[in-house]
Amino acid sequence: NAGVTQTPKFQVLKTGQSMTLQCAQDMNHEYMSWYRQDPGMGLRLIHYSVGAGITDQGEVPNGYNVSRSTTEDFPLRLLSAAPSQTSVYFCASSVDRGENIQYFGAGTRLSVL
Amino acid sequence: GNSVTQMEGPVTLSEEAFLTINCTYTATGYPSLFWYVQYPGEGLQLLLKATKADDKGSNKGFEATYRKETTSFHLEKGSVQVSDSAVYFCALRLKAAGNKLTFGGGTRVLVKP
């Protein structure tokens, strides 16, 4: 069972570079979300989507873009990377926005120099 | 706003020792409470949950009781194993906040043989 798959696992960028973090789920989940994890701060919500074609901002959206063209995929784009975006990024999905279990990917560790 | 505070760690224990990880929360309303676990190289997995006061969640020998009077949800296990080495996250979710998860900072636990 694949579940939630994130690629790449590790990435190093230079300031100003752009990149896309990929997230795919094979459970036909409507709700998908992106979090960042920083030491001592837990996971903070960046963006989320309640279904294909619908996205919304979370707690810390600045510097990130998302789109949801299919149910399966929810990529996170950094248009111009900054050192403050050095973090571990997690993608999650659940059946819907209601009281259902969220399933997490293994994370992408990003360093911006 | 809503927040979760948990002990920072790392917590280092010997096998068969008793484990407690403290978690307290601040929330406007009555949240559902969760413990997630992240094993090395993997994504977060739901460990246990409780949805109302005095509920006890349990799984894999771990327990946590929802204490409204102390706004706490401490995680306990009576006899840890090396395989319990992981990072543990406490989290809350409120319907009024769109069912978004709010996480604590995570506690790293290392169990030595």
Side-chain angles (χ1 to χ4, degrees), chain A residues 85-104:
Chain A
Q85 294 178 304
T86 294
S87 188
V88 181
Y89 292 85
F90 290 100
C91 179
S93 74
S94 62
V95 171
D96 56 30
R97 191 176 181 172
E99 298 182 5
N100 291 294
I101 296 170
Q102 289 202 28
Y103 295 86
F104 285 80

Side-chain angles (χ1 to χ4, degrees), chain B residues 49-104:
Chain B
K49 68 176 184 177
T51 58
K52 61 182 187 297
D54 299 325
D55 267 2
K56 178 186 283 188
S58 60
N59 186 25
K60 299 183 180 181
F62 290 89
E63 292 183 342
T65 301
Y66 189 142
R67 301 287 187 201
K68 191 175 75 169
E69 63 277 11
T70 54
T71 61
S72 64
F73 192 54
H74 304 322
L75 183 68
E76 297 181 336
K77 185 173 185 182
S79 178
V80 294
Q81 305 300 314
V82 172
S83 57
D84 293 324
S85 298
V87 181
Y88 294 82
F89 294 91
C90 186
L92 67 81
R93 186 173 64 193
L94 269 168
K95 267 188 182 176
N99 277 321
K100 296 171 191 173
L101 283 168
T102 298
F103 287 89

Side-chain angles (χ1 to χ4, degrees), chain B residues 29-49:
Chain B
Y30 301 101
S32 296
L33 300 173
F34 305 84
W35 278 101
Y36 280 83
V37 58
Q38 184 184 24
Y39 298 105
E42 299 183 13
L44 280 72
Q45 306 172 23
L46 179 65
L47 181 59
L48 53 84
K49 68 176 184 177

